[in-house]
Amino acid sequence: MAKDPVRVLVTGAAGQIGYALVPMIARGVMLGADQPVILHMLDIPPAAEALNGVKMELVDAAFPLLKGVVATTDAVEACTGVNVAVMVGGFPRKEGMERKDVMSKNVSIYKSQASALEKHAAPNCKVLVVANPANTNALILKEFAPSIPEKNITCLTRLDHNRALGQVSERLSVQVSDVKNVIIWGNHSSTQYPDVNHATVKTPAGDKPVRELVADDAWLNGEFITTVQQRGAAIIKARKLSSALSAASSACDHIRDWVLGTQEGTFVSMGVYSDGSYNVPAGLIYSFPVTCKNGEWSIVQGLPIDEFSRKKLDLTAEELSEEKALAYSCLN
Ligand code: NAD
Ligand code: LMR
């Protein structure tokens, strides 16, 4: 029997990530090849015509799984009945800016859209915040939508996770699909800590630690980390626009794994509400290694954290605490 359609909201749908993301969703990349979807697309009035153009293209592409499209500039209409909300709407950073520089423009959007989601989304709606500063926007959304369970509000660090997989695969000349269990800790910013201490590569002789195969701690503790931390800026420098296809694809990975589950023995990185695990202060949206089952994520517990890593986990937590304070000062 055919499944009922799932309603997926994409805010900022007329923007560049939106343009890459909506066809992926309509093709089943996010929720599966047998899952019909109804797309809800929100943008602001100056982008209404462009949004309508995206809607026309979705119709023209004749996606078999796409059972309807709502394209609107009204947040209430956009949020009504949605089961998944991918929050991309906002302002991207430009060359020379840090992600927190877009703070004052973006956090106020997340405060106001929190209440539209809280009042009008379907019960148990899963929320993924992509717009920067992603962790702090997600935290503001959580704080101003108190009736949405905190487990349902997440932010995107899967792009950083995928970037880390990509760097290891390039360095070792192995398939990216054979590398697993890298971790992004903390903020989706240049203080994030890409950690390979638990990562492995599938080889004919079984899974081998990335550290053993790379055999170059100076690279793993230096250039590898900074490359992943700075990759967003490198894309902006090269494209004069921030990453879009990789962000859209990673957003699909994030929701797919959350809804359909992670593979046995594999963990992924998600920005989630911290419960104090790994001595990260509770009450931040912080990227952790997680596994997902039955539509719920759980933080992977008990991984040993060495002194080098501890400092990096703390540094990015400190930045998130500062961002939280700054966000509140922007809202006041
Ligand atoms: P973009 O400027 O191309 O598109 C953003 C869209 O949001 C525009 O169409 C704009 O009109 C719309 N918008 C603005 N205010 C809105 C509001 N209140 N409600 C609904 N829509 C609104 O930008 P983009 O390149 O698509 O990037 C979007 C965001 O995603 C940026 O903040 C960017 O920094 C961030 N980003 C995050 C990641 C990540 O990994 N977390 C990766 C890439 C980009
Ligand atoms: C990215 O990581 O590519 C995005 O967050 C865009 C940016 O501002 O770096």
Side-chain angles (χ1 to χ4, degrees):
M1 205 174 71
K3 292 180 167 178
D4 288 336
V6 169
R7 291 180 183 271
V8 183
L9 167 66
V10 176
T11 72
Q16 22 149 31
I17 296 177
Y19 190 70
L21 179 59
V22 291
M24 292 182 189
I25 299 171
R27 269 207 177 274
V29 175
M30 178 179 275
L31 292 167
D34 62 345
Q35 178 58 65
V37 290
I38 296 174
L39 271 168
H40 288 223
M41 304 195 297
L42 176 70
D43 214 295
I44 48 176
E49 199 180 346
L51 186 67
N52 194 41
V54 178
K55 181 178 178 182
M56 287 157 67
E57 286 207 67
L58 286 169
V59 171
D60 294 350
F63 293 109
L65 288 173
L66 187 60
K67 302 301 176 193
V69 182
V70 177
T72 180
T73 57
D74 176 22
V76 170
E77 187 187 0
C79 292
T80 298
V82 296
N83 309 101
V84 173
V86 187
M87 311 298 286
V88 186
F91 295 87
R93 70 170 165 153
K94 302 274 159 36
E95 208 170 339
M97 293 165 79
E98 282 295 320
R99 294 184 186 105
K100 66 182 167 203
D101 296 335
V102 291
M103 172 87 70
S104 63
K105 283 175 184 283
N106 286 345
V107 286
S108 57
I109 297 175
Y110 284 82
K111 181 182 172 188
S112 70
Q113 292 180 354
S115 47
L117 270 178
E118 183 177 41
K119 291 196 192 102
H120 302 286
N124 211 26
C125 174
K126 288 179 160 54
V127 182
L128 166 62
V129 177
V130 175
N132 283 315
N135 303 54
T136 299
N137 287 339
L139 184 67
I140 294 300
L141 196 153
K142 184 213 129 348
E143 304 228 329
F144 288 91
S147 69
I148 300 181
E150 63 203 27
K151 285 210 95 173
N152 289 28
I153 297 177
T154 64
C155 84
L156 188 70
T157 55
R158 183 62 175 269
L159 173 56
D160 311 286
H161 181 102
N162 288 344
R163 285 169 172 163
L165 295 177
Q167 289 302 309
V168 170
S169 120
E170 295 261 293
R171 170 79 184 203
L172 292 172
S173 299
V174 296
Q175 296 296 319
V176 74
S177 53
D178 288 338
V179 187
K180 67 175 186 182
N181 296 351
V182 297
I183 302 168
I184 303 298
W185 298 96
N187 199 0
H188 173 65
S189 79
S190 50
T191 66
Q192 66 179 256
Y193 172 42
D195 175 2
V196 292
N197 289 336
H198 314 280
T200 59
V201 178
K202 190 169 148 194
T203 75
D207 286 354
K208 296 259 193 249
V210 164
R211 273 209 185 266
E212 187 184 308
L213 293 177
V214 172
D216 182 350
D217 283 347
W219 183 78
L220 285 171
N221 295 345
E223 195 184 330
F224 162 75
I225 293 177
T226 52
T227 300
V228 177
Q229 288 173 331
Q230 299 293 338
R231 190 68 159 185
I235 303 285
I236 293 172
K237 190 160 186 288
R239 269 178 26 92
K240 313 293 176 233
L241 286 169
S242 66
S243 63
L245 86 85
S246 54
S249 179
S250 301
C252 290
D253 289 343
H254 176 115
I255 297 286
R256 188 199 59 233
D257 285 349
W258 190 2
V259 173
L260 300 176
T262 43
Q263 285 178 9
E264 191 62 37
T266 300
F267 48 77
V268 294
S269 304
M270 281 171 70
V272 299
Y273 194 65
S274 152
D275 60 355
S277 292
Y278 294 98
N279 289 324
V280 169
L284 298 174
I285 301 272
Y286 188 98
S287 180
F288 285 99
V290 301
T291 54
C292 304
K293 202 173 176 185
N294 302 326
E296 301 249 324
W297 53 263
S298 325
I299 296 173
V300 176
Q301 297 294 340
L303 297 172
I305 304 294
D306 63 18
E307 205 181 320
F308 177 87
S309 302
R310 183 71 254 164
K311 288 200 179 110
K312 298 221 173 285
L313 263 72
D314 291 345
L315 183 81
T316 189
E318 273 165 37
E319 185 186 47
L320 280 168
S321 299
E322 285 166 19
E323 273 190 23
K324 181 177 179 177
L326 185 62
Y328 273 98
S329 72
C330 292
L331 291 174
N332 287 332

